[in-house]
Amino acid sequence: MECFTISKLLFLLLVPVISISTCMAGDVGSYMIHMDKSAMPMTFSSHHDWYMSTLSSISSPDGSLPTHLYTYNHVLDGFSAVLSKAHLDQLEKMPGHLATYPDSFGRLHTTHSPKFLGLEKNSGAWPEGKVGEDMIIGILDTGVWPESESFRDKGMGPVPKRWRGACESGVEFNSSYCNRKLIGARSFSKGLKGRGLNVSAPPHDYDSPRDFHGHGTHTSSTAAGSPVRGANYFGYAEGTAIGISPKARVAMYKVIFLSDLRDDDAAASDTLAGMDQAIADGVDLMSLSLGFEETTFEQNPIAVGAFSAMEKGVFVSCSAGNSGPDAYTMFNGAPWITTIGAGTIDRDYAADVKLGNGILTVRGKSVYPENLLISNISLYFGYGNRSKELCEYGALDPEDVAGKIVFCDIPESGGIQSYEVGRVEATGAIFSSDSQNSFWPSYFDMPSVAVSPMDGDLVKEYIIKSQNPVVDIKFQITVLGAKPAPQVAEFSSRGPGSRAPMILKPDVLAPGVHILAAWAPNRAIQPIRDEYLLSEYALLSGTSMASPHAVGVAALLKAAHPDWSPAAIRSAMMTTAYMLDNTQGPIMDMTTGVAGTPLDFGAGHINPNMAMDPGLVYDIEAQDYINFLCGLNYTSKQIKIITRRSKFSCDQANLDLNYPSFMVLLNNTNTTSYTFKRVLTNVENTYSVYQASVKQPSGMKVTVLPSTVSFTGRYSKAEFNMTVEINLGDAGPESDYIGNYGYLTWREVNGTHVVRSPIVSAVAPYIRT
Ligand SMILES: *[C@@H]1O[C@H](CO)[C@@H](O)[C@H](O)[C@H]1NC(C)=O
Ligand SMILES: *[C@@H]1O[C@H](CO)[C@@H](O)[C@H](O)[C@H]1NC(C)=O
Ligand SMILES: *[C@@H]1O[C@H](CO)[C@@H](O)[C@H](O)[C@H]1NC(C)=O
Ligand SMILES: *[C@@H]1O[C@H](CO)[C@@H](O)[C@H](O)[C@H]1NC(C)=O
Ligand SMILES: *[C@@H]1O[C@H](CO)[C@@H](O)[C@H](O)[C@H]1NC(C)=O
Ligand SMILES: *[C@@H]1O[C@H](CO)[C@@H](O)[C@H](O)[C@H]1NC(C)=O
Ligand SMILES: *[C@@H]1O[C@H](CO)[C@@H](O)[C@H](O)[C@H]1NC(C)=O
Ligand SMILES: *[C@@H]1O[C@H](CO)[C@@H](O)[C@H](O)[C@H]1NC(C)=O
Ligand SMILES: *[C@@H]1O[C@H](CO)[C@@H](O)[C@H](O)[C@H]1NC(C)=O
């Protein structure tokens, strides 16, 4: 039934987005047109009428007319349309025309995690945040499977009166499918269709809010799914699946489709239409697990839409991307977005490998989805033949391995090797690999297990010493309390961001590896032999999974503190995040096996119970972001597009945003001294005093003035300056400093609040504006 192979499907989930601006056949393409609203002639009663009139007044020599796609009211001033080159030339001369960009295309960044986050029924963030009751979370994704048990509305109160959204009917989707949990579902495909893509019905997606892919069902149930007992993925991860904010409402805005010509796609025009509608409908928060190329912010649809959302108090969280582990691979790095990296959780999936008649047992990783008994099966290891790396493509001979378990000693993450073992139809495989933790579920499409190189050496030694090496393998083992956890996932994109490197990104880490959540039940998730297995719940990995965890936490925070701004919510998450794992060591980078840095994990791992009560926050207003854009030397036109303001001033240009983290850029100078000016806001009712302490980053000298600040009550503020001095001349090349970090901690005197911010150094990429 499928037109996508599973390897391709997972590839899409895990591998980053590179978006390509494309024009359609001939010289026709879809465009985003930004207009200066203040230039609208008085004769028009609405902007929409003005835009339509503008469009109808242009023509092509061949008589073709432009096609209007969307008019935007909140995220930008303007519209999108399918235009020819001749249309475009005329449009650009029209009064009020500000800028036109070709539509661009982005892609996906593709339950136990509440417990891992410390969420409990009777204390902490769940009761304090009213389990998210009456928070409305807008998810921009691939749609939703409304029949999933995760969207049952048992025990939910009436839909909040302020909700203005709708449940749209369409292909295999009826407006009656919404309920008190799934309160809205809409679909935006005009941009993709305008590009000539068929997204009408399977096998080309559903032209409706119904989820064809499964991803949107997964992300939305992660953020706000109702509890479902006995959820599991083929016997793994069995337990109650529950969203992070289980009483919050879900509104799905489908903007990503699996089209016939390309893989999964989201058009900028559709994504902006979804964000525009979400704001109009009245969502409180939004999560986007997708990304567009990191262009300057006015050309990035998510950055543009998120600015307007932020101004209206809507919290926006986004996936950081799956392009790690290299530096500068960050997506969604605009400072008004909360950018989420992915970490592991302390739940692991395992298989036990028993060698010979039980002389030795080693435990490896596996999610092989069958309860299959492997017993007394011969082991194969072609150690005599080095003409090809063992298990590389073409290295195995079907005759040698028939009926056997192949042992593969491999350096990397095993995609090719698992393909090769499948190709020669061996019974199964044991992979010995440094990257055993990074094996994707799709690699376990036959009875296989990934062991560490140390255990791999034991297996190898056994095979070499035995006349007739045999093995038993037991699958479907779920391990709780795995250590160390969390770790930074190998794929998680790393900072600094390329467009505003002076702001540390990602902001925080949230669970994003092997996350169990609801799935589209007719969507093949795992190939076994020649069949595809179906499941109502799926284990997925990606920063796509991390962003909905963060938005779920944000919903709890906003329910408890309705007056907090998006920046205050992010600050609470960041200054209470933890940097130690469950062995009390620093959070490790899975790629290197050594301690990560804030360039990998931001302020640390999200900690919802602590974030409820941060003591102080670093707040930021819309005007501060404008000053920041001025500081980046954005042109007046660029700033107008992002902020929708026809008038603004750059008198206060300033790159030093009041951010809860500190980035020290080392560029082109030996002795560097940086002064950061920050303002703290008390979010407690009480009088309080805080004292600064600094864990000095190596090679830097940090001083804080004043080092004691006091607050008179709720929302009282205090300023401080923090100076960082570095002498690169004495200490060696800049490269020695990348990722050096320490932190600034404000501790409440005679109190319990601890407000911590990372201080980290990096070399800035060249900033293009
Ligand atoms: C939607 O469902 C309702 C109730 O099941 C039914 O009466 C109606 O005809 C359906 N509408 C469409 C467009 O299928
Ligand atoms: C789009 O795909 C559907 C499903 O395969 C098919 O029925 C329909 O004819 C296609 N439409 C176009 C315009 O190609
Ligand atoms: C394992 O299989 C071999 C034949 O391949 C057989 O001789 C032996 O008895 C078996 N061992 C056990 C414990 O079943
Ligand atoms: C072993 O090496 C020979 C050549 O030396 C090659 O023909 C053969 O295919 C190799 N077998 C395997 C399993 O790699
Ligand atoms: C902005 O322009 C000023 C003046 O040319 C320059 O000094 C400054 O470095 C520029 N800022 C950035 C972030 O490029
Ligand atoms: C921070 O430094 C600036 C000068 O750079 C000074 O004007 C200001 O008073 C200082 N603020 C505090 C709180 O010390
Ligand atoms: C920085 O210091 C190094 C070593 O002392 C020296 O070679 C280099 O010229 C200095 N660079 C600048 C820009 O001053
Ligand atoms: C903290 O407590 C000590 C002992 O009770 C008291 O002397 C001191 O004044 C308190 N400090 C503040 C800032 O409340
Ligand atoms: C910072 O230095 C690096 C090389 O060390 C260079 O590639 C980059 O363009 C510089 N960035 C800026 C903002 O000047």
Side-chain angles (χ1 to χ4, degrees):
M1 62 150 280
E2 280 305 322
C3 62
F4 291 91
T5 63
I6 195 72
S7 57
K8 193 167 167 196
L9 173 66
L10 282 147
F11 178 81
L12 299 175
L13 283 175
L14 303 166
V15 176
V17 180
I18 298 299
S19 84
I20 303 147
S21 302
T22 343
C23 295
M24 299 190 333
D27 66 348
V28 179
S30 51
Y31 293 88
M32 314 290 310
I33 298 98
H34 295 266
M35 302 287 284
D36 182 350
K37 252 172 121 171
S38 62
M40 180 176 85
M42 300 292 268
T43 48
F44 293 103
S45 60
S46 76
H47 297 99
H48 177 71
D49 292 347
W50 176 39
Y51 304 149
M52 294 308 278
S53 156
T54 304
L55 267 182
S56 66
S57 67
I58 60 180
S59 61
S60 258
D62 65 1
S64 72
L65 297 174
T67 313
H68 172 264
L69 295 175
Y70 301 101
T71 288
Y72 305 97
N73 296 306
H74 302 279
V75 292
L76 61 93
D77 292 330
F79 57 97
S80 49
V82 179
L83 304 170
S84 69
K85 182 76 180 49
H87 295 145
L88 194 57
D89 291 345
Q90 293 169 61
L91 192 59
E92 281 174 346
K93 295 193 192 86
M94 292 284 180
H97 176 269
L98 200 54
T100 299
Y101 301 116
D103 210 350
S104 57
F105 299 88
R107 291 196 203 154
L108 297 180
H109 284 158
T110 266
T111 293
H112 168 75
S113 38
K115 201 164 181 185
F116 182 67
L117 290 174
L119 293 168
E120 288 172 28
K121 205 168 159 193
N122 298 320
S123 67
W126 262 356
E128 286 167 35
K130 307 176 193 92
V131 278
E133 182 119 49
D134 291 340
M135 284 294 120
I136 302 171
I137 306 179
I139 306 279
L140 287 96
D141 212 300
T142 62
V144 64
W145 195 267
E147 295 85 0
S148 166
E149 282 194 74
S150 290
F151 303 112
R152 278 178 323 180
D153 63 356
K154 191 162 161 262
M156 305 277 307
V159 172
K161 285 215 169 59
R162 63 201 161 82
W163 178 238
R164 298 180 294 272
C167 195
E168 295 175 352
S169 290
V171 180
E172 310 219 3
F173 204 93
N174 186 328
S175 57
S176 66
Y177 293 168
C178 289
N179 60 17
R180 290 177 171 192
K181 161 61 72 183
L182 178 66
I183 65 170
R186 298 182 187 263
S187 167
F188 301 84
S189 58
K190 286 183 193 171
L192 288 178
K193 286 192 260 180
R195 199 172 153 226
L197 300 191
N198 186 354
V199 296
S200 62
H204 309 304
D205 214 304
Y206 301 98
D207 199 7
S208 79
R210 183 171 292 280
D211 190 1
F212 181 65
H213 183 290
H215 189 273
T217 301
H218 199 277
T219 53
S220 49
S221 62
T222 298
S226 297
V228 178
R229 286 216 188 120
N232 69 85
Y233 174 74
F234 304 112
Y236 294 92
E238 173 114 31
T240 299
I242 185 166
I244 300 304
S245 206
K247 286 244 164 140
R249 321 298 174 130
V250 173
M252 173 57 62
Y253 297 85
K254 178 170 173 177
V255 298
I256 311 169
F257 292 77
L258 290 171
S259 62
D260 49 355
L261 299 184
R262 297 161 57 94
D263 301 331
D264 41 355
D265 259 330
S269 52
D270 295 330
T271 303
L272 278 164
M275 295 179 88
D276 200 67
Q277 190 64 54
I279 293 170
D281 289 349
V283 303
D284 299 300
L285 314 101
M286 275 188 223
S287 172
L288 295 96
S289 292
L290 72 155
F292 289 78
E293 191 189 341
E294 280 295 273
T295 51
T296 47
F297 299 132
E298 86 286 357
Q299 290 197 54
N300 182 304
I302 299 178
V304 167
F307 192 95
S308 299
M310 171 276 296
E311 278 193 293
K312 296 184 169 70
V314 175
F315 176 90
V316 181
S317 104
C318 292
S319 50
N322 301 335
S323 306
D326 293 339
Y328 313 123
T329 47
M330 191 61 40
F331 286 84
N332 296 316
W336 47 87
I337 290 173
T338 300
T339 315
I340 313 297
T344 61
I345 57 177
D346 67 346
R347 184 165 69 180
D348 227 333
Y349 308 105
D352 281 344
V353 175
K354 195 163 98 184
L355 299 168
N357 32 24
I359 43 176
L360 187 67
T361 298
V362 298
R363 176 164 281 187
K365 315 262 167 159
S366 184
V367 290
Y368 177 68
E370 270 187 319
N371 189 3
L372 182 74
L373 189 65
I374 296 232
S375 177
N376 197 25
I377 303 287
S378 291
L379 263 171
Y380 175 83
F381 174 43
Y383 50 90
N385 197 335
R386 280 290 167 198
S387 59
K388 261 191 183 189
E389 281 294 324
L390 189 66
C391 305
E392 286 290 317
Y393 182 74
L396 297 173
D397 184 336
E399 275 184 27
D400 294 344
V401 301
K404 295 181 182 162
I405 300 280
V406 179
F407 174 76
C408 297
D409 195 356
I410 58 177
E412 298 216 331
S413 63
I416 292 160
Q417 292 82 1
S418 85
Y419 179 84
E420 172 67 2
V421 178
R423 186 185 71 85
V424 296
E425 297 185 347
T427 297
I430 299 170
F431 299 105
S432 167
S433 169
D434 280 336
S435 311
Q436 57 151 349
N437 293 315
S438 308
F439 275 51
W440 304 118
S442 64
Y443 298 168
F444 299 97
D445 58 356
M446 71 185 131
S448 56
V449 46
V451 300
S452 69
M454 214 160 64
D455 288 339
D457 286 347
L458 297 174
V459 177
K460 207 187 311 182
E461 196 185 308
Y462 162 73
I463 298 176
I464 292 170
K465 286 190 177 159
S466 304
Q467 288 292 329
N468 176 26
V470 292
V471 67
D472 297 356
I473 305 179
K474 182 180 183 308
F475 292 101
Q476 289 187 324
I477 299 170
T478 299
V479 184
L480 288 173
K483 288 181 178 168
Q487 297 179 55
V488 182
E490 191 165 357
F491 58 77
S492 190
S493 287
R494 310 301 155 97
S498 56
R499 297 298 169 161
M502 56 292 292
I503 302 299
L504 174 63
K505 291 280 175 177
D507 292 307
V508 285
L509 212 60
V513 177
H514 288 161
I515 301 302
L516 183 77
W519 185 247
N522 66 349
R523 181 73 185 169
I525 178 73
Q526 178 71 328
I528 290 299
R529 295 177 286 272
D530 292 330
E531 295 162 41
Y532 283 89
L533 301 185
L534 304 175
S535 175
E536 289 179 1
Y537 286 81
L539 284 177
L540 298 190
S541 300
T543 51
S544 278
M545 283 64 244
S547 178
H549 279 90
V551 88
V553 172
L556 298 173
L557 295 176
K558 201 170 160 121
H561 308 287
D563 51 346
W564 284 8
S565 69
I569 292 173
R570 174 174 59 195
S571 176
M573 287 180 180
M574 289 175 68
T575 62
T576 60
Y578 59 86
M579 295 191 203
L580 296 181
D581 64 25
N582 59 2
T583 67
Q584 298 310 308
I587 292 177
M588 293 213 295
D589 180 348
M590 201 193 235
T591 324
T592 55
V594 302
T597 78
L599 299 174
D600 307 313
F601 54 63
H605 195 279
I606 196 168
N607 187 352
N609 293 333
M610 296 302 285
M612 275 286 150
D613 184 20
L616 308 175
V617 297
Y618 293 81
D619 206 356
I620 305 177
E621 290 170 11
Q623 184 59 46
D624 302 321
Y625 293 119
I626 295 173
N627 297 342
F628 181 80
L629 292 171
C630 295
L632 279 176
N633 293 335
Y634 271 45
T635 63
S636 145
K637 187 162 108 179
Q638 288 175 302
I639 297 176
K640 278 182 188 169
I641 291 169
I642 297 166
T643 65
R644 306 169 64 232
R645 283 166 169 74
S646 29
K647 291 202 170 55
F648 60 88
S649 148
C650 269
D651 292 349
Q652 309 282 312
N654 179 16
L655 286 172
D656 188 17
L657 264 184
N658 195 37
Y659 220 78
S661 55
F662 301 90
M663 180 73 110
V664 180
L665 291 183
L666 313 164
N667 262 63
N668 312 327
T669 166
N670 270 341
T671 306
T672 309
S673 168
Y674 262 91
T675 298
F676 301 90
K677 181 170 176 250
R678 291 287 191 271
V679 181
L680 292 161
T681 304
N682 188 16
V683 289
E684 294 301 301
N685 278 324
T686 49
Y687 167 91
S688 57
V689 177
Y690 285 75
Q691 237 160 22
S693 64
V694 174
K695 161 98 176 45
Q696 302 280 345
S698 71
M700 297 181 220
K701 183 165 170 277
V702 179
T703 45
V704 180
L705 269 177
S707 61
T708 302
V709 291
S710 59
F711 301 88
T712 51
R714 197 172 177 76
Y715 300 143
S716 68
K717 294 182 188 291
E719 273 180 32
F720 69 92
N721 289 338
M722 189 185 89
T723 303
V724 180
E725 285 170 87
I726 308 164
N727 193 332
L728 285 178
D730 290 347
E734 300 181 328
S735 57
D736 287 0
Y737 278 80
I738 298 172
N740 276 9
Y741 77 97
Y743 20 93
L744 163 65
T745 306
W746 290 101
R747 277 196 175 73
E748 190 180 3
V749 178
N750 296 344
T752 56
H753 294 110
V754 175
V755 185
R756 188 176 52 190
S757 296
I759 306 164
V760 63
S761 57
V763 174
Y766 174 69
I767 306 169
R768 284 165 294 157
T769 55

